Structures are given as structure tokens and as C-alpha cells.
């Protein structure tokens, strides 16, 4: 994730700076419940968390808990994409990350269909054909 995540979904940080919260590698933002559980709301920023018993992350922000009806409702930790080796992969066939597109008000989704389909042909099919030649 990066700062655009917060803007995309209209999320504000309760503690921390939205512009820098997920800018550096090994940083993360906690939900309010997670921050309270581990450090306290105001003390969370700057603290370290060890994930997977190996990776140390610095807490750079706290956001409100996700709404119950949100697809993000089960997430308590939002990690920075910066420094994530998988995120640096230039191949378009990875299924490790979600991509969201936000349309401007009044935009017609039909106008997006052709450009998206052409991206499949341009970026995905050449890679797939290296494994399944036609």
C-alpha cells in the first residue's frame, strides 16, 4: 500500500501523516483496535512490530477500524509496498496484489473496457505465451 490507498478509499489517519505513513520500506499502519491492543493509540507511531518472527516493521500511522461491511474489515495491518520485493516485479501476471480503479463522477465504465482489454494483449499474453506457445 502507499499514500494513494488512503486517498482512494477516503481514509484519514487518526495518528501519523498520510503523505509519509507508507512511503518507506518496512513501515505499516495499524487499525485503532490493533494499536490499542499493542501500544495504545497515541504511543503506537514509532513503535516496532515483528511480523512472521523475522521482519521488523515501524508503525507510522493509525486509522479507524474498517467498517463491518467493508471488504477490508478483517485487516488490522496495512504494510507499505515500498521495499516489498514482490511489488517490484514488472510482470503483469502476479496475483499477489489488488488493483483498484476509481472513476471520476460521470465517467462511463464502457469507455474503460477496450483499454483494459488491450492491456491484457499487450502485457499479459506475451508472458503467458512463453509457457504456452500457440
Amino acid at each position: 500500500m502507499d499514500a494513494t490507498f488512503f486517498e482512494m478509499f477516503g481514509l484519514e489517519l487518526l495518528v501519523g501523516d498520510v503523505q509519509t505513513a507508507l512511503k518507506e520500506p518496512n513501515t505499516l499502519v495499524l487499525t485503532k483496535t490493533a494499536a490499542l491492543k499493542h501500544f495504545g493509540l497515541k504511543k503506537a507511531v514509532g513503535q516496532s512490530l515483528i511480523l512472521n518472527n523475522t521482519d521488523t516493521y515501524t508503525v507510522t500511522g493509525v486509522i479507524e477500524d474498517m467498517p463491518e461491511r467493508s471488504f477490508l474489515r478483517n485487516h488490522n495491518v496495512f504494510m507499505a509496498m515500498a521495499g516489498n520485493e514482490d511489488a517490484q516485479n514488472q510482470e503483469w501476471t502476479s496475483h499477489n496484489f489488488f488493483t483498484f480503479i476509481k472513476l471520476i463522477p460521470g465517467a462511463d465504465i464502457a469507455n474503460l473496457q477496450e483499454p483494459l482489454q488491450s492491456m491484457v494483449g499487450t502485457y499479459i499474453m506475451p508472458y503467458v505465451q512463453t509457457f504456452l506457445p500457440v
Side-chain angles (χ1 to χ4, degrees):
M1 315 242 166
D2 60 20
T4 61
F5 170 77
F6 303 110
E7 181 182 345
M8 176 76 150
F9 294 103
L11 301 173
E12 295 181 16
L13 291 180
L14 300 173
V15 182
D17 180 356
V18 71
Q19 295 302 317
T20 60
L22 297 175
K23 193 172 186 175
E24 298 298 321
N26 294 76
T27 57
L28 57 78
V29 169
L30 297 174
T31 61
K32 183 178 179 179
T33 296
L36 289 170
K37 176 181 176 182
H38 295 288
F39 308 110
L41 186 63
K42 299 291 184 186
K43 295 180 183 178
V45 171
Q47 298 292 330
S48 296
L49 277 176
I50 298 174
L51 301 180
N52 301 323
N53 293 322
T54 57
D55 303 319
T56 303
Y57 287 80
T58 302
V59 179
T60 55
V62 178
I63 59 174
E64 195 62 61
D65 292 347
M66 294 294 108
E68 189 63 32
R69 298 184 77 190
S70 169
F71 73 99
L72 297 169
R73 69 184 167 277
N74 296 323
H75 294 270
N76 294 313
V77 176
F78 298 89
M79 297 185 297
M81 295 288 288
N84 183 321
E85 187 177 318
D86 225 15
Q88 306 308 315
N89 186 348
Q90 296 296 313
E91 295 172 0
W92 285 55
T93 55
S94 171
H95 297 282
N96 295 332
F97 306 101
F98 293 104
T99 300
F100 298 95
I101 299 172
K102 187 174 188 176
L103 300 178
I104 59 173
D108 183 356
I109 188 76
N111 293 333
L112 192 57
Q113 296 301 320
E114 185 179 329
L116 285 176
Q117 286 302 316
S118 71
M119 288 172 61
V120 170
T122 302
Y123 298 104
I124 296 173
M125 291 310 294
Y127 178 78
V128 170
Q129 287 173 342
T130 63
F131 298 100
L132 303 167
V134 178

